[in-house]
Amino acid sequence: MIYAVANQKGGVGKTTSAINLAACLADTGARVLLVDLDPQANASSGLGLRHTDGLTMADVILDGADVQQAIRSTGVPNLDIIPSSPDLAGAAVELPGREGRERILQRALVPVSGTYRYVFIDCPPSLDLLAINALTAADRLIIPVQCEYYALEGLSRLMETINGVRAHLNPALGLSGLLLTMHDSRTRVSGDVIAEVRRHFPDVVFSTVVPRNVRITEAPSYGEPVTRYDPHCVGAQAYVAVAKEVAARG
Ligand SMILES: Nc1ncnc2c1ncn2[C@@H]1O[C@H](COP(=O)(O)OP(=O)(O)O)[C@@H](O)[C@H]1O
Ligand SMILES: [Mg+2]
């Protein structure tokens, strides 16, 4: 099953959720692949891969490199990653003129989809061709929503894009769920946003809400998912619970 973790807004918890859901599911014994599709490469550095010399998603997407040769293992057993690189930003210039430009990632992932029970695609903060490639390659979508003012802003455009992809490119694209992130129980607004998002999107919001937790912020600088960095903190426990919901929703 291929999951795209998407929201065109930056800083809502896409990368954090992609890393930690991937790690939690790998901890259950399933083989998991994390695909870093953001030129900022935060998922790669967050798992300890910085400026590596091997192949990256830029080579796979822009130059047709073999995806299997771009796969690296991580410090987490069962979790592999295809890292990104700033070169992937070239997609905005290079892809638009290409034949089949929306299906490059979908085609690239065919050889590995049988090897991994879960593939997570960490999307860039945009709705450009890279993001469309992710939505076209995915079976399911996870949309992180930050518990902040304007949380719903941009979601209608995202839903329109999803419907466009369903109509023209990937009719089977399903919504796994909306994931409320960075909840701060001390602020009133955070609770208000949770209620509002649940009202707008009944049924699809995951029942687990990820709290704002400093251990989650610290973990990437150690190149570890929070579930390794501090397995007992509330942030790690929340992602373990979300991973169970994701697996149960199928
Ligand atoms: N639950 C959380 N608690 C505290 N900080 C968080 C939490 N989730 C994400 N962050 C921090 O917020 C910032 C943005 O998160 P990130 O996952 O990179 O968002 P995106 O990929 O959507 O841009 C990062 O610095 C990250 O460490
Ligand atoms: Mg990110």
Side-chain angles (χ1 to χ4, degrees):
M1 190 78 87
I2 302 179
Y3 292 86
V5 183
N7 186 332
Q8 75 273 28
K9 267 179 122 172
V12 298
K14 287 182 293 298
T15 300
T16 302
S17 300
I19 288 177
N20 290 298
L21 290 176
C24 288
L25 288 163
D27 280 342
T28 70
R31 288 198 70 187
V32 183
L33 176 67
L34 178 58
V35 176
D36 189 350
L37 200 65
D38 185 349
Q40 292 180 53
N42 295 146
S44 310
S45 60
L47 282 173
L49 284 95
R50 288 166 213 269
H51 305 293
T52 44
D53 6 274
L55 295 174
T56 69
M57 280 313 292
D59 302 294
V60 171
I61 297 288
L62 302 178
D63 298 329
D66 178 4
V67 76
Q68 320 236 32
Q69 292 184 14
I71 295 175
R72 320 285 168 78
S73 52
T74 70
V76 180
N78 301 319
L79 176 58
D80 291 344
I81 185 170
I82 308 179
S84 184
S85 105
D87 294 342
L88 188 57
V93 183
E94 291 191 35
L95 294 193
R98 292 208 197 161
E99 178 84 28
R101 57 189 174 241
E102 296 94 351
R103 297 196 186 275
I104 298 169
L105 180 62
Q106 182 186 50
R107 292 192 175 122
L109 290 180
V110 167
V112 297
S113 59
T115 315
Y116 296 94
R117 175 116 56 94
Y118 299 99
V119 176
F120 286 89
I121 305 169
D122 183 28
C123 291
S126 66
L127 288 174
D128 64 6
L129 262 176
L130 274 181
I132 300 294
N133 264 272
L135 300 183
T136 304
D139 302 300
R140 298 275 187 277
L141 197 60
I142 293 172
I143 305 176
V145 176
Q146 190 182 355
C147 297
E148 259 305 330
Y149 275 124
Y150 312 120
L152 291 168
E153 193 181 72
L155 280 186
S156 57
R157 212 177 131 227
L158 178 56
M159 294 301 170
E160 278 165 29
T161 305
I162 293 164
N163 287 331
V165 168
R166 281 187 182 131
H168 302 290
L169 295 159
N170 183 11
L173 177 63
L175 183 56
S176 172
L178 265 67
L179 176 59
L180 291 158
T181 65
M182 294 182 241
H183 172 49
D184 186 345
S185 56
R186 292 165 307 177
T187 68
R188 168 96 184 267
V189 59
S190 216
D192 289 350
V193 168
I194 292 175
E196 196 186 359
V197 172
R198 289 221 159 103
R199 185 152 31 83
H200 267 80
F201 300 96
D203 308 328
V204 295
V205 182
F206 290 110
S207 36
T208 307
V209 174
V210 179
R212 188 171 278 285
N213 176 223
V214 68
R215 308 304 265 169
I216 288 180
T217 325
E218 292 166 358
S221 53
Y222 294 87
E224 286 186 329
V226 72
T227 43
R228 304 240 135 199
Y229 176 65
D230 186 353
H232 302 296
C233 73
V234 289
Q237 286 171 1
Y239 274 110
V240 169
V242 180
K244 282 189 184 141
E245 288 192 60
V246 168
R249 286 186 181 195

